[in-house]
Amino acid sequence: MASRRLLALPLTVALFACGGGGKGAADAGYPADAGPRTSRSLAFSADGGSLWVTNAESDSISEIDLAGRTLKSEVLLALKPPAVDGAGRYEPALRPRAIAVVGDIGFVAAQSSNSVLAVQLKTGTTIKVIATGAEPVSVVASADGARVYVVNHQAATVQAIDTATYAVIATLSIGEHPWGASLSADGKTLFVSHLLLHPGLSLIDASKLTLTSFTALPDQPPDASKNKLVPNGQARGAYSIVPNPITGQLWMPHLLLATGTPQPALDFQSTVFPTITLFQPGGAQVDRRLLFRPSSVPSFAGAFTDSVSGPRDVAFTPDGALALVAMAQSEDVMVFDAATGFQVALVRPTPSALLEGILVNSTGTEAYLHGRVSHDVTVLKIAKGAAGAKVTVEGDRIETLSSDPMPADLRHGMRLFYSANSAAFPVTQDFWVACSSCHLEGQSDAVTWQFNQGPRDTPSNAGGPINTGFLFRQAVRNDVIDYDETIRVEQGGHYRRDVPSQLPDLQALAKFTNYAIPFPQNPNRNADAATLASQSRGEKLFNARCTSCHSGNYLTDSGSGNPTLDPSGPVLLHDIGTCATTGPFPDKPAADIAGNPRAACAFDTPTLRGIFATAPYFHDGSAATLEEVIARVPNTSDLSATDRADLVNHLKTL
C-alpha cells in the first residue's frame, strides 16, 4: 500500500505565547527503555524530538515537531483521502487508532482494514501491510523493539509481530472485546483491558503469548444509603490499562452504568459515573476504586469532587507521583496524587475534543493531549511544588491535519455525539453524560436500562439507523433528530428540534449518526471449510424460517408499507413472546412522537446486520447469546441442536 507525505503549510504553525519556543529533543522525548509501555493514539519518535499522532477520520498519521510546536508533516496511509461515497456514507478505509514507534518504523493499528501498517517514518512509506484479526485497536512494542503486540477488538485475539520479518508469529484468543494494552516494566507481562461484556484485565505471558490469568472488573453496588447520586452500576468502557512506572500499580479508567436505577428516578446525574479501578502490581487482584463524591452527599468518601465524564487514558509523571487522566467526553484532564488516589487538580477547559490519548515527557514537565475530533494536540505544563501540583494549558492547540477530508457537518455531528462539554453545547448538565456514554464507539454499552416503557437494551448505531425503519423498540420515533427528547430526559440537556437556532446541531448529530458510524469488522467470515459449510446450511435455514420478518438489505421489515415512516400510517409490529409481563419492571404501552399508541408487547423488528457484536439480545437484553435467541423465537425453537448451531454460524456472518 503506497503512502504519501503531506507537508504542513506555514499557515498551520501554532505559535506559543510563553517564549515562542518549546523544549529540545533531549528534554521532550521519552527514552525507549523507560519503564512500562502503553498503547496509545500518539507516541514519541525514537529520538524524542517529535510526536506521532493517528488521525482516524483522515486515514493518516502526523508528525508534530516538539521544539517548534508545529505540524511537521502528515502521512496519508490510504491510497486516497476518505470521502463521502455514493450512498452518502463517510467511512475511512483504515481508521488508524494506535501507533507504536520502533526506531524509524511506526506500527499503526488500522481498525477498519484489519491490519497493522509498518510505516517508514522518515519517508512516509508503508513498507508492509500485516494482516491481523478483526479490528486491531492497540499496538505496543517491547523495549528491545523485537516484537509488537496487537490487540484485535472484534476477533478477541492478541497477536505478536516479529519486527525483523513483519510476520505474525503467535496468536492468542482471549475474552471478548479486548481494547487497551500495556507491557510491564520488565517486559514479561502484557496487560489487556476488556471493554464491554465481562470487562476486566487479562494478564498474558509476553514471551510465550499465553494467558496467565483474568481478573474481572467488578460492578459497583449501591452504598448503604441507597442514594442514587452515589456512584454505582455495571462496569463498562475500559479503554486502557496503564502501570505506574514506579510502583507497578495498574490504573484502569472506565464507566459505571447505573442500570439498577429506574425511570423516573433515573436522571442525568444518576445514569453514568466516571471511575478508575486500581489493580495491585502484577494485576491479579483489584486494589481499590477511585469514585466521584457528589457535593450533596458529603458523608460519602470519594476520591474526586469535580464532575467529569468519559475517562479514557492515564499518563504518569516519570516519578510515579502524579496521574493525569484524559476525560474523553467532558474534554478535560483530572490530575491525581498517585499515592493517595485523591484529585489534586482539574484542567478545564482544554482546546481539544474527544481526548483519546495523553503522554508525559521524560522530565515530567509537559504532557501532550490528543484530541481526535478536534484533530489536534494540546500541550499541558506540569509544575510541582510545596503547595502541590499545578497543570495548565500551555499555548494554542497544535493542528494535526494539513486539511480535513471529513465534511464540516459530519465533523460537527461527531463532536456533539462524543461530547459532554456542557459549557460548549447544551447536550447535558455539569459535564455529565454524552451520547457516546451509552453508545460506546457509536455502538452499544451491552446493558439493559429500566426505562418508563420497560426494560430496554441499548441498540447499536453501527451502519446508521437511517436504513433500519422506525426507531426505538416500539417504533415511537422515525428520525434521529427526535432524540432531542433523549438529550433532555436521559442526558439532562436542553436541545429542542422546534428551536430554529438548535436545529442545525441536531441535524449534524443525526447526519453523523446516520452516515459516519461504520459496521464492526466481522471476524466470522474467513472461516475454515467445516464452518463455511455450517454457515451455508444456516443460510438456508434462515431463508426458510426468518425472512418473513428479517428481510431486505438491513434484514428488517420495519417500515414495510410505509416508506416515509409516517407515524399516522401503517406500523408493522410483532409480539413473539419476549414481552416482560412480570417482575418489578414490566413492559408498558407507549406512544410515538405524534401521540399514536403502541401496545406493551408489540415490538419493531431490529436489524440483524452486525448482530455478532451486539450481545445481549432482544429488546430487554434477556438473551445472552444467539443460541438462546433461536431457542426462544417461535419460528426456530423447534430446530435440532445441529440446525441451531448452523443457524447461529450464519447469523454471525451478517
Side-chain angles (χ1 to χ4, degrees):
M1 181 180 296
S3 298
R4 63 188 180 96
R5 184 180 288 268
L6 304 174
L7 296 180
L9 299 175
L11 290 178
T12 65
V13 173
L15 298 178
F16 278 70
C18 300
K23 298 194 175 291
D27 295 324
Y30 210 97
D33 59 352
R37 305 167 71 81
T38 297
S39 173
R40 290 189 171 97
S41 60
L42 70 173
F44 290 114
S45 61
D47 65 4
S50 296
L51 192 67
W52 285 94
V53 186
T54 59
N55 302 307
E57 279 63 53
S58 302
D59 277 347
S60 67
I61 57 175
S62 295
E63 183 181 11
I64 302 298
D65 176 67
L66 292 177
R69 308 254 177 103
T70 61
L71 171 60
K72 188 174 181 180
S73 64
E74 180 188 1
V75 177
L76 179 64
L77 301 175
L79 295 175
K80 58 183 179 180
V84 174
D85 65 18
R89 297 199 60 77
Y90 184 85
E91 295 191 9
L94 304 179
R95 277 202 303 158
R97 297 300 299 269
I99 181 169
V101 175
V102 178
D104 60 357
I105 304 297
F107 290 85
V108 182
Q111 183 178 7
S112 291
S113 66
N114 302 332
S115 63
V116 167
L117 278 59
V119 182
Q120 169 54 253
L121 298 177
K122 290 182 179 179
T123 63
T125 302
T126 298
I127 57 180
K128 187 69 173 180
V129 177
I130 306 163
T132 66
E135 291 199 12
V137 293
S138 289
V139 283
V140 60
S142 59
D144 61 7
R147 281 189 175 188
V148 166
Y149 299 93
V150 55
V151 175
N152 303 306
H153 178 57
Q154 292 297 347
T157 60
V158 175
Q159 294 176 301
I161 296 172
D162 185 302
T163 60
T165 62
Y166 303 114
V168 174
I169 57 174
T171 299
L172 171 68
S173 294
I174 57 175
E176 63 182 77
H177 294 114
W179 195 282
S182 285
L183 277 167
S184 59
D186 60 12
K188 294 181 179 180
T189 305
L190 179 67
F191 306 108
V192 176
S193 67
H194 294 262
L195 188 75
L196 286 176
L197 286 170
H198 316 299
L201 173 61
S202 285
L203 274 61
I204 297 167
D205 184 305
S207 62
K208 300 176 182 177
L209 208 68
T210 55
L211 183 65
T212 301
S213 65
F214 173 80
T215 304
L217 188 59
D219 296 338
Q220 183 69 28
D223 80 324
S225 70
K226 304 295 183 181
N227 190 315
K228 69 176 185 177
L229 301 181
V230 173
N232 67 95
Q234 294 182 256
R236 292 291 188 271
Y239 276 99
S240 60
I241 179 70
V242 185
N244 184 305
I246 302 302
T247 66
Q249 185 183 57
L250 294 151
W251 286 44
M252 180 184 286
H254 62 93
L255 305 174
L256 294 172
L257 303 179
T259 55
T261 301
Q263 285 183 334
L266 184 70
D267 57 12
F268 78 95
Q269 58 187 336
S270 61
T271 299
V272 57
F273 299 93
T275 189
I276 301 118
T277 295
L278 279 53
F279 293 81
Q280 293 182 355
Q285 186 175 344
V286 171
D287 187 343
R288 54 197 165 117
R289 177 168 279 167
L290 309 184
L291 295 167
F292 170 71
R293 179 174 67 83
S295 59
S296 60
V297 192
S299 60
F300 179 71
F304 55 98
T305 56
D306 283 305
S307 175
V308 292
S309 57
R312 178 66 66 96
D313 191 19
V314 180
F316 291 93
T317 50
D319 60 5
L322 296 179
L324 283 71
V325 182
M327 302 292 175
Q329 295 162 354
S330 52
E331 303 173 359
D332 42 35
V333 174
M334 186 168 281
V335 185
F336 291 86
D337 181 310
T340 66
F342 287 107
Q343 174 191 350
V344 295
L346 177 68
V347 187
R348 175 184 288 170
T350 69
S352 298
L354 184 50
L355 310 184
E356 289 227 319
I358 186 169
L359 273 176
V360 173
N361 67 357
S362 60
T363 60
T365 56
E366 289 181 353
Y368 308 99
L369 183 65
H370 175 215
R372 177 178 162 193
V373 166
S374 51
H375 42 85
D376 58 20
V377 169
T378 292
V379 180
L380 304 178
K381 184 178 180 180
I382 304 170
K384 291 186 288 184
K390 184 178 181 181
V391 182
T392 55
V393 173
E394 187 175 64
D396 299 325
R397 56 186 285 275
I398 307 172
E399 175 64 61
T400 64
L401 300 181
S402 299
S403 62
D404 188 4
M406 191 175 195
D409 55 350
L410 289 178
R411 180 71 73 175
H412 184 53
M414 184 179 183
R415 170 81 185 276
L416 290 164
F417 185 88
Y418 284 101
S419 180
N421 185 347
S422 52
F425 308 104
V427 292
T428 187
Q429 295 178 47
D430 202 16
F431 299 87
W432 202 275
V433 59
C435 301
S436 58
S437 299
C438 296
H439 295 283
L440 299 174
E441 291 296 298
Q443 299 177 31
S444 174
D445 54 18
V447 302
T448 299
W449 298 93
Q450 306 301 334
F451 288 163
N452 288 326
Q453 299 89 347
R456 293 295 183 266
D457 173 60
T458 303
S460 172
N461 289 318
I466 193 169
N467 294 304
T468 62
F470 286 97
L471 305 176
F472 268 35
R473 300 301 188 179
Q474 291 166 291
V476 298
R477 299 179 187 172
N478 60 3
D479 194 304
V480 174
I481 291 177
D482 300 336
Y483 282 66
D484 64 335
E485 182 178 356
T486 298
I487 291 174
R488 294 193 303 275
V489 175
E490 278 83 38
Q491 295 178 219
H494 301 286
Y495 272 108
R496 298 193 67 93
R497 60 187 179 277
D498 55 359
V499 175
S501 63
Q502 293 187 332
L503 184 58
D505 276 1
L506 294 171
Q507 289 171 328
L509 176 62
K511 192 169 184 180
F512 169 77
T513 308
N514 280 325
Y515 293 106
I517 300 175
F519 279 115
Q521 295 294 307
N522 197 316
N524 304 298
R525 291 173 180 165
N526 296 322
D528 56 34
T531 304
L532 287 172
S534 174
Q535 290 171 351
S536 179
R537 294 192 299 269
E539 183 178 14
K540 294 177 181 177
L541 288 166
F542 180 84
N543 291 335
R545 300 287 188 113
C546 308
T547 53
S548 59
C549 295
H550 295 286
S551 56
N553 290 336
Y554 278 73
L555 303 173
T556 174
D557 62 8
S558 180
S560 293
N562 188 353
T564 63
L565 303 180
D566 180 358
S568 62
V571 178
L572 184 61
L573 302 175
H574 304 277
D575 181 357
I576 59 170
T578 59
C579 185
T581 57
T582 60
F585 307 110
D587 287 305
K588 301 174 183 176
D592 69 10
I593 58 171
N596 300 300
R598 300 284 188 266
C601 296
F603 297 108
D604 187 55
T605 303
T607 177
L608 298 184
R609 291 285 302 276
I611 194 174
F612 70 91
T614 61
Y617 303 103
F618 290 144
H619 74 283
D620 58 353
S622 60
T625 65
L626 288 172
E627 289 81 358
E628 186 176 345
V629 170
I630 291 171
R632 290 175 57 186
V633 172
N635 282 15
T636 57
S637 59
D638 64 334
L639 292 175
S640 67
T642 299
D643 285 346
R644 288 182 186 180
D646 290 342
L647 183 52
V648 167
N649 280 333
H650 171 65
L651 291 174
K652 288 180 178 179
T653 69
L654 299 176

